[in-house]
């Protein structure tokens, strides 16, 4: 049985889904999530850590993740992504090199794009080799906001 709980942020909602063993996924939605909240101890811990992250009082996560459905390559890629420090950036090609597989840049991008644990495994910190903000499942606007929130990139002034 899946348990769900969500947190509302200034950009939308982050929905945590978990079973008794760990988190199955984290999803972002601009609209109020459909499933009624049905928390368990894991979702409650995740929401507490996410809340602290958005309040800038917490910069890392310590949560159980259900990784068993995923290939070893995905797990290895996500382990590298999870090691990117708060407020720092890393390119897809740098990750492939760290994995001793420099030709796997596209595969790293594919694994990063299928990350079911955004924020926990900070795929938003992965950028293009040319330092461009490329690809994010929930859009580049959210990726940019998260990187500004962490201080990885300078906030862009707005006219309004």
């Amino acid at each position: 049985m899946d348990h769900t709980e969500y947190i509302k942020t200034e950009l939308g909602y982050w929905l945590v889904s978990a079973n008794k063993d760990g988190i199955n996924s984290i999803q972002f939605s601009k609209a109020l999530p459909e499933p009624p909240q049905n928390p368990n101890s894991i979702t409650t811990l995740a929401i507490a850590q996410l809340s602290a992250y958005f309040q800038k009082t917490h910069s890392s996560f310590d949560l159980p993740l259900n990784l068993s459905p995923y290939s070893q390559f995905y797990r290895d890629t996500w382990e590298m992504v999870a090691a990117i420090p708060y407020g720092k950036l890393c390119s897809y090609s740098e990750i492939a090199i760290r994995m001793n597989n420099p030709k796997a840049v596209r595969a790293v991008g594919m694994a990063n794009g299928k990350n079911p644990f955004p924020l926990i495994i900070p795929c938003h910190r992965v950028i293009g080799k040319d330092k461009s903000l490329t690809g994010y499942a929930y859009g580049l606007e959210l990726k940019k906001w998260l990187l500004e929130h962490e201080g990885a990139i300078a906030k862009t002034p707005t006219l309004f």
Side-chain angles (χ1 to χ4, degrees):
M1 176 179 166
D2 268 5
H3 294 270
T4 58
E5 196 168 350
Y6 59 79
I7 180 174
K8 185 177 192 288
T9 67
E10 66 183 80
L11 293 175
Y13 298 86
W14 291 92
L15 174 70
V16 177
S17 172
N19 61 24
K20 64 181 179 54
D21 300 318
I23 295 172
N24 295 322
S25 68
I26 296 176
Q27 299 171 328
F28 175 78
S29 173
K30 289 192 179 210
L32 182 67
E34 286 291 321
Q37 295 195 76
N38 176 27
N40 69 1
S41 60
I42 294 172
T43 62
T44 300
L45 179 61
I47 292 300
Q49 290 186 21
L50 287 168
S51 178
Y53 168 84
F54 285 110
Q55 293 171 14
K56 292 189 171 190
T57 61
H58 194 75
S59 61
S60 64
F61 297 94
D62 182 21
L63 298 164
L65 304 177
N66 288 325
L67 295 168
S68 60
Y70 303 100
S71 74
Q72 191 61 52
F73 180 82
Y74 277 30
R75 291 185 211 183
D76 292 345
T77 301
W78 297 337
E79 184 179 332
M80 292 291 169
V81 173
I84 302 169
Y86 180 92
K88 301 293 181 191
L89 303 172
C90 188
S91 73
Y92 297 98
S93 59
E94 289 172 304
I95 291 170
I97 290 166
R98 289 178 188 170
M99 293 175 70
N100 294 317
N101 196 350
K103 293 184 179 184
V105 176
R106 286 184 180 205
V108 165
M110 175 85 71
N112 206 47
K114 295 197 183 287
N115 172 16
F117 313 105
L119 302 178
I120 309 305
I121 296 176
C123 52
H124 61 280
R125 296 179 190 154
V126 184
I127 60 171
K129 188 176 185 177
D130 63 356
K131 308 282 188 233
S132 63
L133 300 186
T134 59
Y136 189 62
Y138 299 112
L140 293 181
E141 180 183 322
L142 181 55
K143 180 174 187 162
K144 181 176 174 275
W145 188 93
L146 291 168
L147 293 174
E148 288 175 349
H149 173 76
E150 293 183 3
I153 62 172
K155 286 194 179 199
T156 307
T158 60
L159 297 175
F160 305 100

